[in-house]
Amino acid sequence: MSVTAERKQELVAKFGKGEGDTGTAEVQIALLTERINDLTQHLRVHSKDHHSRRGLLMLVGQRRRLLRYLQRKDIERYRAIVSELGLRR
């Protein structure tokens, strides 16, 4: 259910600006997207797991707020992350 350390390092290296950059909006959005995808797969098997469904909805809201922030601050970075992750098709 959680993102492995190796996968997290891959995402940080891909979307971060530096070696240990975990705080930028792009990295956070990528990490949230990975967790959302994992929870979605979990809920396909365990459809009655309402606690995980609530967690999924909270993660989606958090990602939406980060995307809205990034859209207000820098539209080019927003478009790049959306196209890279395949969001908002």
Side-chain angles (χ1 to χ4, degrees), residues 44-85:
R44 286 187 180 150
V45 176
H46 307 281
S47 60
K48 296 188 179 192
D49 187 359
H50 297 296
H51 291 89
S52 293
R53 186 174 311 280
R54 182 176 186 274
L56 173 68
L57 292 175
M58 290 174 61
L59 291 175
V60 168
Q62 187 176 1
R63 182 179 69 179
R64 186 179 64 239
R65 285 189 300 272
L66 279 170
L67 284 168
R68 199 176 319 140
Y69 164 79
L70 195 59
Q71 188 177 21
R72 281 192 320 263
K73 294 296 178 186
D74 191 355
I75 192 73
E76 293 304 319
R77 285 172 49 198
Y78 167 78
R79 288 181 182 151
I81 193 76
V82 167
S83 67
E84 183 77 26
L85 293 174

Side-chain angles (χ1 to χ4, degrees), residues 22-58:
T22 59
T24 59
E26 289 94 342
V27 173
Q28 293 300 313
I29 291 168
L31 290 172
L32 285 170
T33 301
E34 188 73 19
R35 289 179 60 198
I36 287 169
N37 291 340
D38 288 346
L39 269 176
T40 303
Q41 292 300 318
H42 170 78
L43 287 172
R44 286 187 180 150
V45 176
H46 307 281
S47 60
K48 296 188 179 192
D49 187 359
H50 297 296
H51 291 89
S52 293
R53 186 174 311 280
R54 182 176 186 274
L56 173 68
L57 292 175
M58 290 174 61

Side-chain angles (χ1 to χ4, degrees), residues 7-28:
R7 180 67 179 147
K8 193 178 287 189
Q9 288 298 326
E10 290 174 13
L11 290 172
V12 168
K14 185 174 182 181
F15 293 103
K17 293 180 179 172
E19 179 67 28
D21 180 23
T22 59
T24 59
E26 289 94 342
V27 173
Q28 293 300 313

